[in-house]
Amino acid sequence: MAGTLLILLTLLIVVAWLHARRRRRREQEHARRTALQQIRLLRQLVEQVQRRRGLSYGVQSGERTLEARLWSVSQQVRQLFERCRVHQPTLHWLAGWHQALQLWERVEQADAAVTPEQLLGLQTELVQALLDTIAALAERFDLVCLGRLAPQAEGQWLELLQNIELLGQARAIGTGIAANRQNLPVWRVRLAQLSSHVNEQCYAALARLVSDPALRPLLNQPVRAAEETLDVLLQHIRELLDQQPAALHSVDYFQIATQAISAQLLLVDLLLERLEQSGTTPD
């Protein structure tokens, strides 16, 4: 009798443990899906803030034809910040998010006394704060290493997103240079540095993606397209720095840089979508 009771008690404990384990797993999966939704929303915000930065620097540097697009993108940024309000209970605990809110308020309140370079710097800080917020979410929910000791190929979306900021800065500074040839030499030096970093980092990240057999079927064609847009952008940067007339139309330069950024963002989205579809939290 005592043995039977002991067996029954053991079974009850095991069942309760399995039930609690499944509940924890469901809770973890829900939190992970929510984090991925937040990251995708913040990724859109990064994209539009980067776009706004390039347009505003171009406008302030003399390219008035970009004003309508600047107004439209500014509205999108406001709407995205508003959409983030629903995630405030989670984002509230992230230092990068508080900094992003403060910086966006300063950007919106900037007046004519703020120089183009100062506004460019503010928006660059804003992008970095948003990237820091995304990185904090990725670390908290293990969306880069995926349960292992080192970043995995599917977790490379964060590196791609960080590399895109090099392209975003190159778009903004190059658009300003193309709009106004009287730019300070420091910005031409900075654009040359960004070009070098893009050449070193972006191509290497793309090569690592297609080196993974599991990702190659999904990403092979998008990676090739991203490499081609990088080739075109870097060529135009070289021409711009050499002051060749064909490269100096700011609107065309902005569009070429945007194509390179969009090609990289597509890869980010594909990797995030793959993580969402995986539906399992690493043990």
Side-chain angles (χ1 to χ4, degrees), residues 207-275:
R208 286 195 298 274
L209 278 180
V210 291
S211 68
D212 186 278
L215 294 178
R216 192 178 302 122
L218 174 67
L219 300 181
N220 189 51
Q221 187 56 41
V223 163
R224 288 185 180 182
E227 289 173 339
E228 290 172 0
T229 58
L230 283 178
D231 293 342
V232 174
L233 174 59
L234 291 176
Q235 176 60 32
H236 278 76
I237 290 177
R238 286 191 292 270
E239 294 174 357
L240 186 62
L241 293 175
D242 291 341
Q243 297 183 328
Q244 297 183 28
L248 295 183
H249 198 289
S250 58
V251 176
D252 290 341
Y253 176 86
F254 183 91
Q255 186 59 33
I256 289 166
T258 299
Q259 290 172 354
I261 291 170
S262 297
Q264 299 269 332
L265 285 170
L266 174 60
L267 294 169
V268 172
D269 291 340
L270 288 171
L271 290 172
L272 288 174
E273 183 179 353
R274 186 178 174 91
L275 286 175

Side-chain angles (χ1 to χ4, degrees), residues 38-273:
Q38 293 168 346
I39 287 171
R40 289 176 75 98
L41 180 58
L42 290 168
R43 185 237 62 49
Q44 294 179 52
L45 189 52
V46 167
E47 178 185 8
Q48 296 306 324
V49 171
Q50 289 173 327
R51 192 186 299 265
R52 186 193 189 282
R53 175 182 55 191
L55 291 169
S56 64
Y57 193 56
V59 169
Q60 289 185 299
S61 298
E63 186 54 76
R64 297 300 177 185
T65 61
L66 295 174
E67 286 182 333
R69 292 170 68 180
L70 173 59
W71 182 88
S72 177
V73 170
S74 295
Q75 295 302 311
Q76 292 182 56
V77 173
R78 293 187 189 98
Q79 291 170 8
L80 286 167
F81 268 111
E82 188 64 29
R83 286 175 58 190
C84 287
R85 284 182 177 273
V86 70
H87 299 291
Q88 187 63 24
T90 301
L91 299 178
H92 173 79
W93 303 101
L94 304 177
W97 180 244
H98 287 281
Q99 186 180 10
L101 292 174
Q102 294 168 4
L103 287 165
W104 172 238
E105 183 177 358
R106 290 174 62 188
V107 168
E108 281 214 293
Q109 293 177 352
D111 55 25
V114 177
T115 67
E117 289 71 27
Q118 289 173 332
L119 186 56
L120 178 70
L122 275 177
Q123 292 179 100
T124 296
E125 290 181 46
L126 173 54
V127 172
Q128 187 57 56
L130 292 171
L131 290 174
D132 290 343
T133 303
I134 291 172
L137 283 170
E139 180 180 0
R140 179 176 178 183
F141 293 95
D142 191 20
L143 296 171
V144 174
C145 294
L146 305 177
R148 296 175 175 84
L149 296 178
Q152 300 302 297
E154 291 178 335
Q156 201 174 325
W157 60 270
L158 181 58
E159 180 184 0
L160 291 173
L161 199 55
Q162 291 166 338
N163 285 346
I164 287 168
E165 171 57 2
L166 298 174
L167 299 175
Q169 291 185 38
R171 176 175 59 185
I173 294 173
T175 300
I177 292 174
N180 176 9
R181 294 194 185 192
Q182 302 305 316
N183 281 274
L184 295 173
V186 64
W187 293 112
R188 304 181 72 84
V189 171
R190 178 57 181 157
L191 182 58
Q193 292 173 340
L194 287 167
S195 177
S196 178
H197 292 325
V198 167
N199 191 54
E200 293 171 1
Q201 296 175 216
C202 292
Y203 286 105
L206 295 176
R208 286 195 298 274
L209 278 180
V210 291
S211 68
D212 186 278
L215 294 178
R216 192 178 302 122
L218 174 67
L219 300 181
N220 189 51
Q221 187 56 41
V223 163
R224 288 185 180 182
E227 289 173 339
E228 290 172 0
T229 58
L230 283 178
D231 293 342
V232 174
L233 174 59
L234 291 176
Q235 176 60 32
H236 278 76
I237 290 177
R238 286 191 292 270
E239 294 174 357
L240 186 62
L241 293 175
D242 291 341
Q243 297 183 328
Q244 297 183 28
L248 295 183
H249 198 289
S250 58
V251 176
D252 290 341
Y253 176 86
F254 183 91
Q255 186 59 33
I256 289 166
T258 299
Q259 290 172 354
I261 291 170
S262 297
Q264 299 269 332
L265 285 170
L266 174 60
L267 294 169
V268 172
D269 291 340
L270 288 171
L271 290 172
L272 288 174
E273 183 179 353

